[in-house]
Amino acid sequence: MLRDRFGRSIDYLRLSVTDRCDLRCSYCIPKGFKNFEEPANWLGFAEIQRVVAAFARLGCHRIRLTGGEPLLRRNLPELIGMLASLPGVDDLSLSTNGTQLATQAGALKAAGLQRLNVSLDSLRRDCVASISGSDSLQQVLQGLSVARDAGFASIKINMVPLAGINDRDIDAMLAYCKAHGFILRLIEAMPMGHTGQQADGLDLSQLLSSLSQRHGLTPSAVSLGGGPARYWQSQDGSCTLGLITPMSQHFCASCNRVRLSVDGTLYMCLGQEEKLELRPLLRAGCSDAELEAAIRTAIELKPERHEFQQQPQQIMRFMSMTGG
Ligand code: SAM
């Protein structure tokens, strides 16, 4: 029902509930950064619920909570319950760095959260500490184990391989995921903000043939969650690897998503500036029809593609500002 100028249907909303994070990953939030959004500008739970309800009425049935680190938003399970109960919200998922997962996984599951992605860049304690600025590996591993026990199935682990930093950890990450029933996804670093622009990300398309040979992986038709990842699997299905290649092989032609930042700005593309602010409308008491019309107007603005390769200096927002 939501279709953009290029014929793409938009059925996926990524929703940032905070731009703050307890980590400072080298390719994301700069160390010492303080310019976070003022709490007065955060959408409240009732406002978020209204926007998500409007999206759901317009045929956007898949919602992912993200940030910043979404588990830092106080009372998040309450929001999850509010969104899970909305008619038309069929798939409710969350991306987290996992540091708070051990204490929150049970409440998130009970509130109606269906799926979980956890970011983790290495299994080496010093490497995690050096990338993320925090000695957090044990907390994240514990969080993953608690989440699995809480009933989350097919947890995906997102890793951003960086040349000379954690690229040698990919095999160990794959073995760990296989042993624990998780799905490893490798993501190419994107030039968002000066942190992303300085990151020395790997070209995953080039890495693929040696990786798939070493682990006996063949291309798989599975579509896990309807995102841009392409998957490879071992013959017995015990090992699944996803690749997300916005740099070496972009997937803009099938882009099905928009992003709502914590202050209620709808961003049409990670790599472009087109946006529409919903907060002023919401706070001026707009009707549901006006809200839906604004969302349709925003979708009209969606650009054809990002230009990360052509204009890598273009986007000064780092990932956590838009909502990763
Ligand atoms: N805090 C949550 C997490 O860690 O998953 C959600 C937000 S985080 C911004 C979402 C994802 O974006 C993480 O997997 C992170 O590694 C990734 N990310 C951040 N900056 C990136 C960049 N410049 N290029 C590629 N991925 C990036």
Side-chain angles (χ1 to χ4, degrees):
M1 283 161 73
L2 278 176
R3 203 167 279 281
D4 75 1
R5 290 175 294 149
F6 303 98
R8 298 171 294 199
S9 64
I10 308 302
D11 63 2
Y12 186 18
L13 174 67
R14 292 178 76 102
L15 175 67
S16 174
V17 294
T18 178
D19 58 345
R20 293 164 198 240
C21 188
D22 51 339
L23 302 183
R24 292 289 177 272
C25 295
S26 57
Y27 45 76
C28 193
I29 304 182
K31 291 196 174 45
F33 180 80
K34 298 242 175 348
N35 200 14
F36 294 105
E37 195 57 59
E38 290 297 325
N41 293 337
W42 302 351
L43 292 193
F45 286 0
E47 291 171 321
I48 293 174
Q49 188 189 35
R50 242 195 115 192
V51 174
V52 172
F55 266 95
R57 284 194 301 275
L58 292 169
C60 181
H61 299 303
R62 300 174 48 228
I63 311 293
R64 174 171 293 274
L65 303 182
T66 181
E69 173 46 42
L71 300 192
L72 296 187
R73 181 82 187 243
R74 202 169 294 163
N75 300 327
L76 190 70
E78 187 191 323
L79 176 65
I80 287 173
M82 289 166 70
L83 301 184
S85 67
L86 286 174
V89 173
D90 301 336
D91 181 31
L92 190 57
S93 58
L94 177 138
S95 290
T96 174
N97 63 30
T99 61
Q100 319 283 317
L101 204 45
T103 51
Q104 296 202 38
L108 296 171
K109 182 78 183 150
L113 186 69
Q114 293 164 322
R115 298 190 300 115
L116 207 53
N117 289 1
V118 179
S119 299
L120 181 63
D121 286 332
S122 174
L123 292 166
R124 287 181 296 125
R125 184 177 167 184
D126 58 340
C127 182
V128 168
S130 116
I131 293 176
S132 72
S134 165
D135 185 10
S136 52
L137 176 63
Q138 278 317 314
Q139 272 166 275
V140 179
L141 295 181
Q142 162 95 26
L144 279 163
S145 151
V146 172
R148 201 187 41 192
D149 293 348
F152 286 106
S154 306
I155 296 174
K156 293 178 189 143
I157 298 201
N158 289 336
M159 169 185 187
V160 178
L162 302 169
I165 296 178
N166 65 342
D167 48 353
R168 67 179 155 115
D169 298 330
I170 295 174
D171 288 323
M173 289 285 287
L174 203 48
Y176 166 79
C177 288
K178 182 177 174 184
H180 291 83
F182 303 140
I183 293 164
L184 180 66
R185 302 190 324 158
L186 306 179
I187 304 175
E188 286 176 346
M190 288 171 262
M192 301 192 61
H194 65 274
T195 46
Q197 286 153 18
Q198 283 158 13
D200 195 3
L202 294 193
D203 177 333
L204 297 177
S205 301
Q206 280 189 13
L207 203 74
L208 181 63
S209 72
S210 63
L211 203 55
S212 50
Q213 259 176 25
R214 268 203 310 285
H215 294 275
L217 305 174
T218 51
S220 160
V222 291
S223 163
L224 302 169
R230 289 171 292 135
Y231 288 95
W232 281 259
Q233 266 186 329
S234 60
Q235 219 159 27
D236 63 1
S238 65
C239 181
T240 305
L241 173 71
L243 294 192
I244 301 180
T245 55
M247 304 301 292
S248 64
Q249 224 178 317
H250 76 80
F251 33 80
C252 301
S254 57
C255 184
N256 60 349
R257 61 197 53 200
V258 294
R259 291 173 162 84
L260 185 69
S261 68
V262 66
D263 69 348
T265 305
L266 259 183
Y267 285 98
M268 295 300 112
C269 172
L270 270 184
Q272 300 284 5
E273 293 294 347
E274 283 83 354
K275 63 188 174 196
L276 195 141
E277 290 181 24
L278 295 181
R279 192 180 77 249
L281 273 178
L282 291 164
R283 296 200 176 165
C286 69
S287 66
D288 284 350
E290 285 165 339
L291 183 55
E292 288 174 24
I295 292 170
R296 286 189 189 282
T297 303
I299 300 296
E300 285 285 305
L301 302 175
K302 190 168 167 64
E304 186 170 14
R305 52 165 300 182
H306 66 65
E307 293 166 305
F308 285 145
Q309 293 283 16
Q310 297 82 349
Q311 304 203 58
Q313 309 293 327
Q314 191 177 358
I315 292 298
M316 295 321 295
R317 315 184 291 274
F318 32 87
M319 185 73 109
S320 63
M321 294 168 105
T322 313

